[in-house]
Amino acid sequence: MTIDARSVRTDRLSTFVREAGDPSAPVLLLVHGNVSSSVFFEELMEDLAADFHLIAPDYRGYGDSERKVVDATRGMADFSDDLAALLDTLGVEGPVDVLGWSAGGNIALQLAIDHPGRVRRIVLEASGSPYGFGGTTGLEGRPVAADFAGSGGGTANPEFCRAIAEGDRGDGPTSPRTTLRSFYVRPGFTFDPDVEEKYVDGMLRMSIGEDVYPGDLTPTDTWPGVAPGTTGTNNALSPKYLDQSVFARLDPVPPVLWIRGADDQIVSDTSMFDLAQLGRLGVVPGYPGEEVCPTQPMVSQLRTVLQAGGGEVTEIVYEECGHSPHLEHPERFAQDVREFLLR
């Protein structure tokens, strides 16, 4: 099986795309997560190429795609519009199936919301909450603070951002490699060394700054001292700009297969990347308490929105699995996806 890798110029930007499978087969669009690239899908593409025409682009500013400002005030719409433009340029007609991993799940939902004719079925892999990342509570995604403090560009660890910008390939506590080993997968999971290097490459090949990742920030007197800015990926994931609960009101609601790991530390009802959870654990100082700044139940929020739509929703939880089921349980994941999309 050969993966064709090339840049495709659309009317929005130059998008780097990995493509595999028979062009006459059903299209499956693969959308990667934050701080990654389409290289993370190469093994999955090998597993699925016999059944699908696979299209795996890099986000704007990620991997080998063109660096362009992410307008966070549109939520995830810059990314979903980029995908729609790519499908147009590739001459893909009719609805496609979409698999979104982590923040890619939010992009898949946005594509269905803004371009409903484009999406037939959705596979959500460890998808983020429809109310974004940080700054909300309750099943209905109620904002914790009026200025949405605790979400946006200021929530990223600056040492982690610096490590990416400097091309850090080491195993220090804030390095991309350590983050990959400790959070992208369940601690204790080991990669083939060559594969790990490829994934570290994918993490390092992204733009660091206010325009792409993590984005700008707004200082605030509200704990933890940062509120969202207006540009960059993490601001696009702020609930100030992102509310995808309207997905439940689509007609029809696309069938959804939702696969997640039981040990996911990134997208969780007790996420180790939620500043409120870190404050509750004493990692971030000055925490005002659960009554003032409750944690975000990310998984429960997503389940509530999916169930509200009344459509077909299949939730599968993999035991002994972190944030990347397709990396940790590749054969099972490919088979679950194949069965869902081909039935």
Side-chain angles (χ1 to χ4, degrees), residues 244-295:
Q244 297 180 316
S245 60
V246 68
F247 177 78
R249 298 194 292 275
L250 294 179
D251 185 17
V253 178
V256 174
L257 171 64
W258 177 21
I259 301 176
R260 60 185 183 86
D263 305 309
D264 193 338
Q265 299 180 81
I266 297 177
V267 175
S268 166
D269 283 358
T270 54
S271 169
M272 293 304 292
F273 286 69
D274 178 6
L275 292 185
Q277 171 69 3
L278 294 176
R280 191 175 69 85
L281 295 175
V283 177
V284 178
Y287 181 58
E290 185 75 17
E291 291 186 0
V292 175
C293 189
T295 55

Side-chain angles (χ1 to χ4, degrees), residues 18-37:
R18 287 175 167 85
E19 198 167 359
D22 186 344
S24 66
V27 172
L28 176 57
L29 183 65
L30 303 174
V31 190
H32 65 80
N34 203 356
V35 194
S36 65
S37 79

Side-chain angles (χ1 to χ4, degrees), residues 23-202:
S24 66
V27 172
L28 176 57
L29 183 65
L30 303 174
V31 190
H32 65 80
N34 203 356
V35 194
S36 65
S37 79
S38 60
V39 75
F40 279 79
F41 285 133
E42 285 191 339
E43 282 69 33
L44 178 64
M45 295 175 77
E46 292 179 3
D47 288 341
L48 296 177
D51 299 296
F52 303 99
H53 177 198
L54 301 156
I55 301 173
D58 292 341
Y59 300 169
R60 59 171 58 203
Y62 289 66
D64 291 301
S65 286
E66 180 182 353
R67 181 171 186 165
K68 291 195 76 172
V69 175
V70 177
D71 181 357
T73 65
R74 304 184 69 227
M76 303 305 282
D78 263 359
F79 298 113
S80 62
D81 285 352
D82 290 346
L83 291 181
L86 176 64
L87 294 174
D88 284 341
T89 302
L90 294 176
V92 176
E93 298 179 355
V96 302
D97 297 324
V98 185
L99 185 157
W101 169 41
S102 192
N106 292 101
I107 297 173
L109 293 176
Q110 198 66 47
L111 186 66
I113 292 167
D114 292 341
H115 305 272
R118 288 287 191 190
V119 178
R120 180 171 56 177
R121 288 167 296 197
I122 299 176
V123 179
L124 297 177
E125 180 191 1
S127 179
S129 165
Y131 302 107
F133 207 96
T136 69
T137 191
L139 299 181
E140 75 288 359
R142 175 178 59 84
V144 172
D147 60 2
F148 297 90
S151 69
T155 62
N157 185 328
E159 293 303 316
F160 176 64
C161 295
R162 183 176 297 111
I164 295 175
E166 294 176 354
D168 183 354
R169 306 189 67 88
D171 56 4
T174 59
S175 72
R177 188 183 305 275
T178 296
T179 300
L180 173 68
R181 292 174 174 175
S182 302
F183 295 103
Y184 282 37
V185 294
R186 183 174 181 264
F189 179 88
T190 56
F191 292 100
D192 174 276
D194 290 338
V195 172
E196 180 174 286
E197 293 306 315
K198 179 173 69 172
Y199 294 158
V200 172
D201 284 342

Side-chain angles (χ1 to χ4, degrees), residues 293-308:
C293 189
T295 55
Q296 181 185 10
M298 302 176 186
V299 171
S300 297
Q301 288 175 344
L302 178 56
R303 183 181 298 114
T304 299
V305 168
L306 294 179
Q307 292 178 345

